Amino acid sequence: MWYSTCFETRGTIGGIVIMPNILVVEDSPAVRQLIVFALKRLPDAKIVEAVNGMDALNKLSFEAFDLILADINMPVMDGLKLIGLLRNEPKYKDIPIIVITTEGVEEDRKKAMALGANAYLSKPIHTYELLKAVEEFLTK
Ligand SMILES: [Mg+2]
């Protein structure tokens, strides 16, 4: 019931996703907190946190997301594995993914983009850059 109600209120108005549901996948509590704090500037966004790729898959099985922000290096299931799985799953293949990469590790960024990530941001995260990237994918 909650799920259907939720779906009815979602959608786009004037090309902008209303009440976007954003999944943040990051194992570092400090970085995750920073990202969530920045995203709270989006007044109507709902933010769900996952601590690794496996946790993200679990959260994805319960609700629909408009955007995923994913770290690369994580225990249990890393970001590259997660992106690969999502891009091979019809249900998830079109969800925009912004990868959060460690500064200077260009190899990870290339691999993530090759697997189907839509954009990347380098750590350290800057609120302005993060919001700019996020808003780009919440505008259809
Ligand atoms: Mg990490």
Side-chain angles (χ1 to χ4, degrees):
M1 195 58 187
W2 173 85
Y3 194 65
S4 64
T5 308
C6 183
F7 253 123
E8 280 161 26
T9 53
R10 295 173 73 239
T12 61
I13 291 178
I16 299 189
V17 178
I18 54 156
M19 298 176 74
N21 205 12
I22 305 173
L23 180 62
V24 177
V25 194
E26 165 66 66
D27 63 316
S28 156
V31 179
R32 209 168 58 239
Q33 196 177 25
L34 196 122
I35 295 170
V36 170
F37 189 75
L39 292 175
K40 290 207 168 141
R41 295 221 190 168
L42 303 169
D44 64 342
K46 185 188 165 208
I47 303 147
V48 174
E49 300 175 40
V51 296
N52 60 54
M54 193 62 85
D55 190 22
L57 288 178
N58 185 40
K59 304 255 152 89
L60 278 153
S61 71
F62 286 105
E63 55 189 308
F65 289 94
D66 299 295
L67 179 66
I68 298 171
L69 284 141
D71 180 29
I72 303 253
N73 296 313
M74 294 181 287
V76 187
M77 184 191 289
D78 69 21
L80 294 176
K81 174 88 177 158
L82 174 68
I83 295 165
L85 286 172
L86 295 181
R87 288 301 179 247
N88 281 302
E89 171 61 53
K91 210 168 130 189
Y92 305 130
K93 71 174 177 50
D94 296 320
I95 306 174
I97 302 173
I98 300 175
V99 198
I100 314 280
T101 61
T102 306
E103 197 173 32
V105 188
E106 202 175 320
E107 201 53 38
D108 280 351
R109 173 168 67 79
K110 280 188 188 158
K111 279 186 202 158
M113 297 304 281
L115 283 167
N118 300 77
Y120 65 91
L121 286 170
S122 295
K123 290 179 190 174
I125 303 291
H126 297 289
T127 301
Y128 170 75
E129 285 173 10
L130 175 75
L131 291 176
K132 209 175 108 183
V134 165
E135 280 171 352
E136 189 185 326
F137 289 104
L138 296 178
T139 309
K140 306 271 160 160

